[in-house]
Amino acid sequence: MHIPAYAHGTIRAALPAVPTGRQLANLDCCVCGAPFGRELGAVPLGPDPESGPSGCRPCLSGLVTRAREARDAGLARNAEQVRKDSEAWESVRDHYTARLDAVRRAAEEVAELAGNEEVPPLRIAWLSVSLESAHTWIPDAPEPPVPVDREDHPLRNAEMLMGSAMIAARAAVADRLVYHLINEAQPEEPEMCEELECPEDCSGRHDTSHIDCGPDAVFEDLLEHGISIEEPGPAPLSPRLAALFAPGPGEPPPLFPELGEHASAVLPRLGIDPAAPEVLLSAAAAGLAAAALLNEPLDAIRAAPGGPDAGDVFAQGVDLYRRARKALVAARDGGPGRLGAFTAVASDLDLPWAGGSRFTLRAASGPIADFVRNIEEQVGITEELMRRQGWRDALLHRAFTAAFHATDHFGMPGWPGVVDAVMTRLASLDRLSAPAELTDLRAVETALLQGPDRLGVNALGWLVRHARLG
C-alpha cells in the first residue's frame, strides 16, 4: 500500500505513545489493536519492513483519506486568502497608479503650456511649483503581499512614464524661464537696429528664443565663479580616419602636398580669390556646411517618412554656414579642437533645425548614425589637415569642397547673382498661394542676401519649388 507524503503526519499522530509488545512485534495493528491474520494483513510503517510498527489497510486507508481532506481544505483556505490578498493589492495598486497617471498628465500639460508664448512666464513658474508639489505628495510605492508577483509591470510602467513626463516638464519650464530672464535683462540698444534692419518704430528690444553657446562656453563661464573643470580633448579619430592619417616614421607627411599652389591656380577660375581672407573664409565655411549636409545618408533620411523637406535643408545649410565660419575663426586662435562646436550642433539629435523647422534627427527615420558619422569624419579631416598643414591650407581644402559642391551656397561669392535670378523669377510668378513672408519683394531680397533662414522653412521651401532657389 502506498502512503503519500501528506498523510505521514496524520498517521504518526494516530500511533500510540506506548505501543504494546504485540504491536512492537507486528502481531497487532498499531492503530486499532486488531490482530493480524489471513484476513487482516500488516502494512509496515518503517523505518524498515522487518522492524517498527505496522498498521492494517482499513485503518491506514481511513487516515490517508482524513489527511487528504485536511490538505484539500487547507489549500482551499490558502487559495481564498491569496485571492483576497490579490484583490486588495489590485485595489491599492490601481489607486496608486491612478495618482501617478494624474501627475503624469499634469506634467505633460505643463510642458505644453511652457512652450505657449501666450501664457505669461510667471504663470508658468506657478504651474511648475504646483506640479512639483503634486509630485512630492505622491506616497511611497506600496509593497505587494507575499503571494503576489513582486515585479508588478503596470506599476513600474506608470512610475517610468510619470518620471519621463516630469523630466520633460522641468526641461520645458527651465528653458522658458531662462530665456525670459535673459530677454528681460537685455538693455534697449537702438544701435542694434541698423544691423538687423528693424522698422523705424522698433524699440531696440530683440527677444531671443534660442541660444547655442557651443560645447565649451560653460567651462569658461564657470571660471568666472572660481570653478575649474578640465575640458575633454578632441574626440579620437574613427579607425578609418586613424588609418588614413597614421603618421609614418618621423614627422607626419602633409595630407595634400602643394595644396597652396593648386589653389592659387584653380580657385580663381572657380570664382574664389584665395588671396582675399574674407572670401576664402566664407568659401571654406560654405564647403564645411555642404560637406555636413550633401551626402547619401541625408538623401535617404529625406526620402523616409518624417524627413526634412527642401526648406528645412536650405535653412539648416545657412545656419551651419554661420556656425562653420565661427568655428573656423575660433580654430585659428584656439586650435583645431574648436571645430568641435560645429560638430556638436550639426550632429545634435534633439536640436530643431534652423528657420523655425520642427525637424530633429532623433524623430527622423533612416541612416541617422551614418549621417552623424559623416559629419564627424568630415570635420575630422579638416582638423587633421589643420594640424599638419596649418589653418590656411584647411580653408583652401574646404574652399575646394565649396567650389565643386556648393557653388550657389549662401556665403559664396556667387550668392548675390543667385539672389538676383531668384528675385527675377519670383517677380514674374503668381504668388497668391505663396507664404505671407514672400509678399514684400524688397524684404525678401534683403533676407536672402543677409540671412535666408529668417524667411522660415515654409517660404524657403516654396522658393525652392517655384523659383528654383538652391
Side-chain angles (χ1 to χ4, degrees), residues 66-288:
R66 187 191 310 169
R68 182 171 58 251
E69 291 173 351
R71 181 203 62 178
D72 292 345
L75 290 176
R77 287 193 300 271
N78 290 341
E80 179 64 18
Q81 186 62 44
V82 168
R83 185 187 64 79
K84 291 180 179 178
D85 289 346
S86 296
E87 289 181 353
W89 162 247
E90 289 175 1
S91 176
V92 172
R93 182 200 63 192
D94 292 346
H95 180 270
Y96 183 75
T97 302
R99 184 71 177 269
L100 296 178
D101 288 341
V103 175
R104 172 186 59 79
R105 291 195 299 269
E108 291 172 350
E109 295 298 335
V110 169
E112 185 173 350
L113 288 172
N116 187 347
E117 295 295 333
E118 296 181 0
V119 181
L122 182 59
R123 183 58 186 155
I124 297 298
W126 276 115
L127 283 170
S128 175
V129 170
S130 60
L131 174 63
E132 293 294 345
S133 298
H135 180 263
T136 301
W137 276 91
I138 294 176
D140 293 337
E143 289 292 333
V146 174
V148 178
D149 183 9
R150 309 294 287 181
E151 291 296 327
D152 197 289
H153 298 293
L155 179 59
R156 299 292 171 256
N157 290 341
E159 290 175 336
M160 181 186 67
L161 292 175
M162 186 208 63
S164 299
M166 288 297 299
I167 291 172
R170 288 163 179 157
V173 170
D175 185 75
R176 176 71 184 281
L177 297 185
V178 162
Y179 282 102
H180 172 69
L181 287 175
I182 290 175
N183 291 327
E184 286 296 310
Q186 278 188 0
E188 293 187 357
E189 299 180 4
E191 62 270 16
M192 293 174 59
C193 298
E194 294 184 3
E195 298 179 5
L196 298 176
E197 297 194 358
C198 298
E200 294 182 359
D201 59 348
C202 178
S203 67
R205 177 71 172 275
H206 302 91
D207 283 356
T208 301
S209 60
H210 178 74
I211 300 173
D212 190 333
C213 302
D216 303 320
V218 64
F219 305 111
E220 299 173 4
D221 293 342
L222 288 174
L223 279 175
E224 299 179 6
H225 299 273
I227 302 171
S228 176
I229 298 176
E230 183 178 356
E231 298 182 43
L237 296 176
S238 67
R240 186 174 70 84
L241 285 178
L244 177 65
F245 296 141
E251 292 295 324
L255 294 177
F256 302 104
E258 302 178 355
L259 178 61
E261 290 79 357
H262 289 307
S264 298
V266 177
L267 285 179
R269 285 183 283 174
L270 299 174
I272 301 171
D273 182 3
E278 288 299 316
V279 172
L280 179 60
L281 176 61
S282 292
L288 188 57

Side-chain angles (χ1 to χ4, degrees), residues 121 182 296 304 351 361 366 461:
I182 290 175
E296 292 182 3
L351 184 66
L361 288 172

Side-chain angles (χ1 to χ4, degrees), residues 281 327-329 331-332 385-386 389-396:
L281 176 61
L328 288 169
V329 172
R332 177 189 60 194
L385 182 58
M386 201 175 291
Q389 295 179 221
W391 185 73
R392 188 172 186 276
D393 273 10
L395 297 191
L396 292 174

